[in-house]
Amino acid sequence: MPVPGDRGEVPTVGDDATVGDDATVAAGVGAHRAEGASAVEQYEDRLIAAERLLDGVDRALMSLDAGTYGTCEVCGVAIDDGDLEQDPLATRCAPHGAAGAAFR
């Protein structure tokens, strides 16, 4: 499964290896490191993003098994179907969502 923002390119590592300005890191890690960061550092950021994404998928699968998928972990109200379509890993309803974004 590709990491969002990843084009399947594996950066080469060398003394002056860097990834271009279009490199991005998904799932809350933030934008790529400061311009000029080494390819290894950016690759590590992508690995962290992938681990966070997989953790979210694992949580979603566990909640599906428990019968709680699609309900807010804070108040127990059903998460809007449109919100789940946009983010299938959502664990909080819209009113509680902004507070939960930092924990994903």
Side-chain angles (χ1 to χ4, degrees), residues 27-29 52 59 73 91-92 96-104:
V29 174
R52 288 183 179 171
R59 283 191 305 275
E73 67 185 4
T91 59
R92 295 182 177 199
H96 294 113
F103 297 108
R104 290 183 78 198

Side-chain angles (χ1 to χ4, degrees), residues 4 19 21 25 63:
V19 176
D21 290 337
V25 179
S63 68

Side-chain angles (χ1 to χ4, degrees), residues 34-45:
E35 193 170 321
S38 77
V40 170
E41 291 171 324
Q42 291 186 10
Y43 183 74
E44 288 171 348
D45 285 347

Side-chain angles (χ1 to χ4, degrees), residues 1 3-4 13 15 19-20 24-25 30 39 43 46 48 63 69 80 82 90 99-100 104:
M1 171 182 221
V3 175
V13 179
D15 293 337
V19 176
T24 57
V25 179
Y43 183 74
R46 288 188 198 139
I48 291 168
S63 68
Y69 179 77
D80 183 66
R104 290 183 78 198

Side-chain angles (χ1 to χ4, degrees), residues 76-96:
V77 170
I79 299 171
D80 183 66
D81 288 341
D83 292 340
L84 285 173
E85 281 184 37
Q86 184 176 343
D87 181 7
L89 305 180
T91 59
R92 295 182 177 199
C93 63
H96 294 113

